[in-house]
Structure formats: C-alpha cells, structure tokens
C-alpha cells in the first residue's frame, strides 16, 4: 500500500510543477511598485502585463491577470502583442473580478463649453440653432494633438458623409 502511495505522489508532483501558473492582481487603488498580489495589487494593466512577460520564462503554466472591482482610468490604449497571448496549453487571461469599468479619455466639465461667437460659423448655422450651439477649446484641457474637425455643415444644416 505504501509503495502505491509513493508512486502516486511521484506521478502527481511533476504534474503540479508543470501546471504552475502566474497570478497578478490590478486595482484602481493599487501601486505599480507593489507585488501584484491580491493584498498588494498593481495599479495598471501595463505593469501586470510586464510582470507576466518577465515571469513567464520561469513557469510552464499560463497566467491570469485579475482586475479588482472599480473604475480603472486609462490614459491611452493598452497594447498586447503575440508574446502576450501564451499558448493553448498555457494561456494568458485577463479577467474582471466583480464590476470593473475601464474608462479612457478626458472628462470635460460643462463649464468648459461656450456659445459660438465666430461670425463666420454663426452665419452658417440654421436660424433655429443660432444661440444654441456651443464650442470647446481643447488646449486648456491638455488636448493638443487633436485633429481638426472636417467642415461637415453645409448651407441648410445638412451633413456631408
């Protein structure tokens, strides 16, 4: 009986080692200097992705990045490449734990909008819209790389595709 138990244990242990996987946690209240554990989560997806990239060479299993509940504010795109996908036997998975919101962009306060005063623009507006169209200066909001909007309004207020 003891021989069977030892033999069974010898068969199970290598399988457990082969299935070793990574787990990292990300929280809106985390820190990228933290360990990436549930108790000490990272703050950003980028830090978790980089931790997975760094540690995957030392484990044979996959990886799970768990996003804790809350609003995760993004300042740009989150880029994943082929190296971030893992494999069929050892996938890399990003998973929300509870209600997770990824928010990107810039919040614009209503007070930043002003009535349009440029006479050339006002002259092109439908009479019913005059005095009701607002404009927004993006520069004070730190949005300096915005492209110019196309001239889409024509004489009768219609749109051009």
């Amino acid at each position: 009986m003891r021989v069977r138990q030892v033999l069974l244990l010898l068969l199970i242990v290598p399988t457990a080692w082969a299935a070793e996987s990574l787990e990292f946690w990300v929280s809106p209240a985390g820190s990228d200097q933290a360990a990436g554990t549930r108790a000490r989560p990272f703050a950003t997806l980028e830090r978790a992705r980089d931790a997975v990239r760094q540690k995957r060479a030392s484990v044979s299993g996959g990886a799970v990045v768990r996003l804790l509940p809350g609003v995760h504010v993004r300042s740009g795109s989150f880029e994943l490449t082929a190296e971030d996908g893992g494999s069929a036997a050892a996938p890399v998975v990003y998973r929300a734990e509870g209600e997770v919101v990824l928010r990107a962009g810039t919040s614009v306060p209503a007070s930043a909008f002003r009535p349009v005063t440029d006479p050339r623009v006002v002259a092109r507006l439908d009479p019913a819209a005059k005095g009701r169209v607002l404009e927004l200066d993006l520069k004070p909001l730190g949005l300096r790389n915005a492209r110019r909007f196309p001239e889409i309004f024509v004489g009768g207020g219609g749109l051009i595709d």
Side-chain angles (χ1 to χ4, degrees):
M1 181 81 162
R2 188 169 269 293
V3 174
R4 277 193 215 154
Q5 289 174 339
V6 171
L7 185 56
L8 183 59
L9 185 59
L10 289 174
L11 292 173
I12 292 173
V13 171
T15 304
W17 284 333
E20 182 183 9
S21 63
L22 300 169
E23 184 173 59
F24 293 106
W25 298 81
V26 179
S27 169
S31 167
D32 281 347
Q33 286 69 49
T37 62
R38 183 178 184 106
R40 297 186 57 231
F42 295 135
T44 65
L45 289 167
E46 287 79 7
R47 178 64 182 97
R49 177 203 58 208
D50 294 347
V52 170
R53 285 177 179 175
Q54 180 184 21
K55 300 281 186 180
R56 283 207 64 227
S58 64
V59 299
S60 56
V64 178
V65 174
R66 299 179 186 280
L67 281 73
L68 290 167
V71 178
H72 296 254
V73 178
R74 305 280 314 142
S75 60
S77 337
F78 177 54
E79 185 175 334
L80 296 170
T81 63
E83 74 177 301
D84 299 310
S87 66
V92 176
V93 177
Y94 287 77
R95 178 171 289 142
E97 298 291 324
E99 188 172 330
V100 171
V101 175
L102 297 176
R103 180 169 293 149
T106 301
S107 295
V108 178
S111 62
F113 290 88
R114 302 278 183 248
V116 172
T117 58
D118 183 332
R120 295 172 298 153
V121 175
V122 172
R124 292 187 357 233
L125 295 175
D126 184 281
K130 289 183 182 180
R132 303 174 84 184
V133 177
L134 303 174
E135 65 183 0
L136 173 67
D137 185 357
L138 299 176
K139 289 179 185 171
L141 299 171
L143 302 172
R144 303 198 186 286
N145 295 325
R147 286 180 251 137
R148 182 170 171 76
F149 287 103
E151 297 290 328
I152 59 171
F153 291 100
V154 292
L159 296 175
I160 299 174
D161 290 339

